Amino acid sequence: MPAREVWPHEAHDFTPWLLANVDVLSDLLGMDLVLDVAEHPVGGFFLDLMGRDEATGTTVIVENQLEPSDHAHLGQILTYAAGTNPTTIVWMTTGFRPEHRAAIDWLNEHTDEDTRFFGVEIQVVRIGESTPAPAFKLVAQPNDWEKQVKSATTGAASGQLSEKGRLYWDFWDQVRTKIQAGHPSWSRARTSTKASWFDMSTGTSGALVSMSFTRAGLSVQLYFDADPAVNAARYEALLAQKEQFEAELGAPAVWDPMPGRKAARIAVYSDFSDVAETDSWPAMTDWLFDRQSRLRAAIDAVGGIPAVT
């Protein structure tokens, strides 16, 4: 059935719906996606939606079109990308003309390995007298494998890709695979990262579970990165339940309000210190899996992440 029978107006109906039902798009793209800005100004224009991929902390932009693709919207989304410097660019329409789908494929082939373009068709299905349901279709996407090969090849040739980066990529991919096999709801991420950390969603915007190699050792953290006032309020609310939180966690935590920073965290640290200790990867992975399980159980035990506005 036509999308406009469900969402008559793009800005007034579809964009707010997508903002409130971001999981539908997250599942399709394989990301821990958070959308928190609608009608974001870019020069004299307004981008439909902007947010981030919580697994990487990178910017995501979404341009909606409740009609078939056209040249004007292709130009708009490139303009918005230039003004927001995103990693992930999503163009949603009710149908892609062949030349516009080819344009997305061309962009994926010719941009750097950290930039991704997606084309999503907005479809609606209805069986009998049932309530209409969205059935988005991914019609254009980056070829991550080709981009990984490109990254490794060009990085090695230019000296930009360090051996440490390669180790992080392989290690986090091992961790990601184990977690998605045992707890797929923790992360939708389909690729690894060359960074020293790997972030996962808690289901609450502005609150992450972060696994990272730090100077103090390999850690699992509940990390607050929303508005500073919200971060502080959430931190203090959990600190007031410290005894119950740590009892479920099974170990003392490091409670760090991060004074002078626009963040706060509750962390546990291991004796592991260096990703280069490849013989210890299985033990590191088991530790991360166990501590993240305990951390999430501790969050649930105290009633979840406080809803602060």
Side-chain angles (χ1 to χ4, degrees):
M1 62 183 299
R4 285 196 181 273
E5 290 189 20
V6 179
W7 306 287
H9 193 279
E10 177 191 301
H12 299 158
D13 299 305
F14 182 75
T15 295
W17 179 89
L18 188 58
L19 191 62
N21 294 274
V22 66
D23 284 352
V24 178
L25 187 59
S26 292
D27 288 338
L28 182 69
L29 300 183
M31 297 181 184
D32 293 315
L33 185 61
V34 173
L35 298 177
D36 48 21
V37 178
E39 298 299 316
H40 178 72
V42 180
F45 303 94
F46 291 90
L47 169 64
D48 288 331
L49 288 164
M50 186 168 72
R52 65 186 181 278
D53 178 0
E54 289 203 320
T56 61
T58 54
T59 299
V60 177
I61 65 172
V62 181
E63 178 66 7
N64 304 320
Q65 186 179 359
L66 285 182
E67 56 191 13
S69 62
D70 58 36
H71 284 2
H73 280 80
L74 175 58
Q76 284 174 217
I77 202 165
L78 293 176
T79 300
Y80 297 147
T84 56
N85 193 31
T87 292
T88 301
I89 301 97
V90 184
W91 184 10
M92 304 185 69
T93 81
T94 57
F96 279 89
R97 292 184 168 90
E99 58 269 33
H100 296 141
R101 179 174 175 175
I104 296 177
D105 291 339
W106 186 89
L107 288 165
N108 278 322
E109 291 170 2
H110 290 82
T111 52
D112 65 68
E113 67 276 3
D114 294 323
T115 304
R116 299 174 177 176
F117 289 83
F118 292 89
V120 177
E121 284 191 356
I122 304 167
Q123 300 180 351
V124 177
V125 296
R126 183 173 188 173
I127 302 175
E129 297 301 318
S130 65
T131 302
F136 297 159
K137 181 181 179 182
L138 190 59
V139 299
Q141 61 184 312
N143 187 321
D144 282 325
W145 173 245
E146 286 185 1
K147 289 206 169 190
Q148 290 172 28
V149 172
K150 176 182 176 183
S151 174
T153 302
T154 59
S158 64
Q160 294 176 353
L161 183 61
S162 67
E163 180 62 26
K164 206 64 168 289
R166 294 176 186 272
L167 288 169
Y168 282 136
W169 181 279
D170 291 341
F171 176 74
W172 292 126
D173 199 51
Q174 174 180 295
V175 173
R176 180 187 64 85
T177 300
K178 180 178 176 64
I179 285 177
Q180 290 187 329
H183 289 281
S185 63
W186 289 2
S187 176
R188 300 179 179 88
R190 293 178 180 171
T191 59
S192 186
T193 176
K194 294 173 285 186
S196 61
W197 67 90
F198 195 99
D199 293 339
M200 295 187 173
S201 174
T202 62
T204 300
S205 179
L208 307 171
V209 172
S210 181
M211 304 178 294
S212 62
F213 285 91
T214 72
R215 293 180 181 177
L218 180 63
S219 72
V220 172
Q221 306 178 11
L222 175 58
Y223 193 89
F224 301 116
D225 70 342
D227 177 86
V230 172
N231 295 336
R234 285 174 169 166
Y235 175 84
E236 292 297 332
L238 292 181
L239 182 60
Q241 303 180 79
K242 178 180 178 181
E243 184 175 347
Q244 182 180 2
F245 189 94
E246 291 187 341
E248 192 69 34
L249 187 60
V254 175
W255 296 76
D256 184 2
M258 302 177 72
R261 304 268 302 273
K262 296 180 179 179
R265 63 187 168 198
I266 304 166
V268 287
Y269 294 90
S270 73
D271 294 330
F272 303 112
S273 60
D274 193 343
V275 71
E277 299 168 1
T278 55
D279 290 344
S280 297
W281 281 10
M284 290 180 187
T285 301
D286 289 343
W287 184 86
L288 288 169
F289 192 90
D290 175 71
R291 287 303 174 186
Q292 185 169 169
S293 296
R294 290 174 179 269
L295 178 62
R296 290 178 183 273
I299 294 170
D300 291 340
V302 297
I305 306 296
V308 180
T309 58

